[in-house]
Amino acid sequence: MWYLKQIDDKNSFQVIAFLKQHEPICVNLCEEVLHWEKYHNDFSDTSRLHAKRKSYRGDGPPIFLFFHDMVLVAVFALDRQGTLLHCFPKPDRSSIKAFVLCARSEFAHIEISSIMGERRVSRLLQKYLSDTFGYRISKVTRYFLLTRPSDISNYNTASVSPAISSTKIHAAVCTICTVNDIDDLLPLQLGYEREELERTKVNEVYSRLYLNRMLEEQIMFQCRISGRLVSKLHTNAQGIHCKQFGGVYTVEQFRGQHIAEILLTHAIKTLAPSTNMFALFVKEKNMSALRLYKRLGFSHLCDFRIISFK
C-alpha cells in the first residue's frame, strides 16, 4: 500500500536515516528536516517548545513522507520561498502513479513557486503539477550537481592552479564574513543576482535582508585585495554530512585571475574538519566554472534542475 504522511516526532529519525543515504543530491532538503528536528524534538519543556515552534522558519510549509508498505521511499518539503525540494531515489512508473494519487489532496492546499533537485524527478513532479493543478512553467535552469570529499590529506592532487603565483595568493586575504561586511558585500550580491540569477530588476533592500539571513544561518567567505572586497561565496545549505556552496561571485575587474579559486580553496580547507562532503551546482554552459571546480577535485554526480512556475 502506498500512502503519504507528514513528518512528526515519531518518524523524524526515520527521515534522517533515509536522507543520510542519499546526500548530497538533496542537501537543501536535509537542512529543512534538520531545522524541523531542532525546533520540534530538542526541547523537553513544553513552553519552550511552543515558543520555538512559533519561531520555526518552516512552520507553515509541510514536510511529506511517501511510504510503500511502511517502507519510506521518498521525502518532500517546501522551503520558505515555496520551492519544492525532493529526495525520490528510485522512481518508476508505478511509484510515480501512486504518488500522484496520494498527493493530490495534500498538494491542493499548498502553493509551489518552483521545484529544485535531480533532473528526472523534477521533471516528473513538474508534469504532475502541470497536469493536475495547471501549473505553468516560467523558466527551467539546467545545472550539473558536483561533489567532492572533504578529505584534504591529498589536497595537492586537487589544488589551486599552477598559474596562481605565491605573490597573488599572499595578496588575496580570505576570511569569514561578519555583519560589518554587508555594505561591501551588497554590490557583489546585486551583481550575482543580475548575472547568475538573470534578474532584470534587483532590490537593494531585499538583497541586504538576504545577506543578513545568510550571515545568520550560513557561513560566508570573502576575498579582499588591498582592502577591497572582490569575491564572495557562502554555504547555501548545510545537511547531515554535507555542505553545499553557492553564491560564488567575483567582480568583473578581477575575473580571470584565479581569485574565486583561491577563495574556494580557503573555504574548503576551513570547513573540511566539520563535514564529510562538499556539493555545488553549476550551470551546464558555464565552462569556466566547470574547469575551476574540476581543478579543485569536484566531479559530476547528476544533472540538476530548478523549474520555476508563473
Side-chain angles (χ1 to χ4, degrees):
M1 182 178 70
W2 300 92
Y3 58 96
L4 207 65
K5 291 184 65 174
Q6 290 197 31
I7 194 170
D8 58 33
D9 295 342
K10 295 179 180 179
N11 60 32
S12 61
F13 74 94
Q14 186 179 7
V15 179
I16 297 291
F18 176 82
L19 294 177
K20 276 182 182 179
Q21 302 174 54
H22 305 292
E23 275 194 313
I25 64 168
C26 54
V27 187
N28 300 79
L29 173 56
C30 292
E31 185 177 66
E32 290 297 319
V33 172
L34 289 176
H35 276 278
W36 187 96
E37 186 180 59
K38 177 180 178 182
Y39 289 108
H40 289 72
N41 291 350
D42 289 352
F43 301 92
S44 56
D45 181 77
T46 305
S47 61
R48 289 178 65 206
L49 176 58
H50 180 68
K52 285 293 182 180
R53 280 181 171 172
K54 280 188 173 181
S55 67
Y56 168 56
R57 68 181 200 177
D59 211 23
I63 298 173
F64 294 110
L65 318 181
F66 187 45
F67 290 88
H68 182 234
D69 294 336
M70 300 184 68
V71 176
L72 182 59
V73 296
V75 179
F76 306 87
L78 282 180
D79 68 10
R80 76 187 102 190
Q81 284 79 37
T83 299
L84 180 62
L85 310 170
H86 57 82
C87 181
F88 202 156
K90 298 178 181 179
D92 55 27
R93 183 170 305 208
S94 62
S95 61
I96 290 296
K97 182 178 179 180
F99 171 77
V100 168
L101 294 173
C102 294
R104 186 180 182 95
S105 61
E106 298 285 358
F107 277 53
H109 303 295
I110 60 178
E111 185 175 342
I112 298 170
S113 62
S114 60
I115 299 171
M116 183 171 76
E118 188 273 328
R119 178 189 62 180
R120 179 168 178 253
V121 178
S122 293
R123 292 177 65 183
L124 289 169
L125 291 171
Q126 173 268 309
K127 187 177 187 307
Y128 158 65
L129 291 173
S130 298
D131 292 348
T132 307
F133 299 109
Y135 278 79
R136 293 186 298 160
I137 295 176
S138 65
K139 183 180 179 182
V140 177
T141 311
R142 296 168 173 81
Y143 296 95
F144 294 131
L145 179 63
L146 310 180
T147 61
R148 65 149 287 156
S150 63
D151 180 23
I152 58 172
S153 60
N154 60 343
Y155 201 76
N156 289 334
T157 64
S159 190
V160 294
S161 169
I164 304 178
S165 67
S166 59
T167 302
K168 185 171 292 184
I169 292 174
H170 290 304
V173 179
C174 300
T175 59
I176 293 176
C177 300
T178 70
V179 291
N180 296 325
D181 299 309
I182 285 185
D183 287 340
D184 290 342
L185 286 165
L186 186 59
L188 279 72
Q189 179 60 30
L190 294 173
Y192 174 81
E193 292 174 14
R194 291 189 188 99
E195 296 177 36
E196 181 66 21
L197 303 182
E198 300 177 0
R199 292 178 180 167
T200 55
K201 294 182 180 180
V202 294
N203 185 307
E204 290 192 14
V205 174
Y206 291 143
S207 299
R208 185 180 289 273
L209 289 172
Y210 174 82
L211 288 172
N212 265 302
R213 180 164 62 83
M214 287 295 100
L215 289 167
E216 289 176 0
E217 299 177 2
Q218 301 293 338
I219 307 166
M220 184 171 286
F221 294 87
Q222 63 176 333
C223 179
R224 291 180 181 265
I225 295 180
S226 300
R228 179 183 175 184
L229 199 157
V230 299
S231 187
K232 60 98 178 173
L233 64 86
H234 56 78
T235 59
N236 60 15
Q238 300 184 69
I240 303 163
H241 295 305
C242 181
K243 286 183 169 58
Q244 181 173 279
F245 289 121
V248 183
Y249 186 82
T250 302
V251 297
E252 188 172 2
Q253 177 185 345
F254 288 85
R255 292 175 192 171
Q257 301 180 40
H258 304 282
I259 302 301
E261 192 166 350
I262 293 171
L263 181 58
L264 188 53
T265 299
H266 173 79
I268 289 171
K269 289 183 175 180
T270 301
L271 298 177
S274 62
T275 192
N276 293 342
M277 182 74 65
F278 293 109
L280 54 84
F281 43 95
V282 57
K283 287 182 177 178
E284 292 180 352
K285 294 183 179 180
N286 192 344
M287 301 310 297
S288 61
L290 284 168
R291 288 192 292 270
L292 160 63
Y293 299 138
K294 184 177 179 180
R295 284 199 301 271
L296 292 176
F298 285 87
S299 59
H300 177 270
L301 179 65
C302 68
D303 292 350
F304 205 77
R305 292 291 182 269
I306 296 179
I307 302 172
S308 302
F309 297 112
K310 294 182 181 179

